[in-house]
Amino acid sequence: MPRPRKPASPLRYFNSSPEVIRLVVLMYVRFPLSLRNVDDLLFERGIDICHETVRLWWNRFGPLFAGDIGMRMDPSPARDYPAGNGG
């Protein structure tokens, strides 16, 4: 019986690790940084990439990561509030 195949990762054709790609995209999205600021911060930590790589990864994987985040969020945040008398 053939084993079920895992869906192919969209990160498989890139030389960098998926963790680095995710870190770069989330840093650019989460903090008010420019492409060059992200490039400089990563260079200080030993990761040498170009600011154009940050832009490419953001354009390519930003919507993918946003979809992952949206799927993890609870669709009904109203249930976090205690039931009350409306007042």
Side-chain angles (χ1 to χ4, degrees):
M1 177 183 232
R3 294 187 337 195
R5 293 177 55 163
K6 287 193 265 183
S9 170
L11 306 170
R12 68 185 177 274
Y13 296 116
F14 291 88
N15 291 332
S16 296
S17 69
E19 292 83 17
V20 170
I21 295 174
R22 184 174 291 272
L23 173 69
V24 167
V25 172
L26 292 179
M27 280 178 71
Y28 182 66
V29 172
R30 173 63 178 94
F31 302 106
L33 301 171
S34 69
L35 297 171
R36 292 182 191 267
N37 289 137
V38 173
D39 174 25
D40 291 341
L41 283 172
L42 292 170
F43 184 75
E44 290 174 2
R45 287 159 181 77
I47 301 170
D48 189 17
I49 60 170
C50 176
H51 69 278
E52 282 297 312
T53 304
V54 176
R55 184 187 59 80
L56 173 86
W57 289 348
W58 159 243
N59 288 334
R60 187 132 192 206
F61 301 115
L64 177 73
F65 295 154
D68 287 348
I69 292 169
M71 290 173 55
R72 291 182 192 153
M73 291 181 65
D74 186 17
S76 61
R79 71 181 179 148
D80 292 339
Y81 298 104
N85 297 357

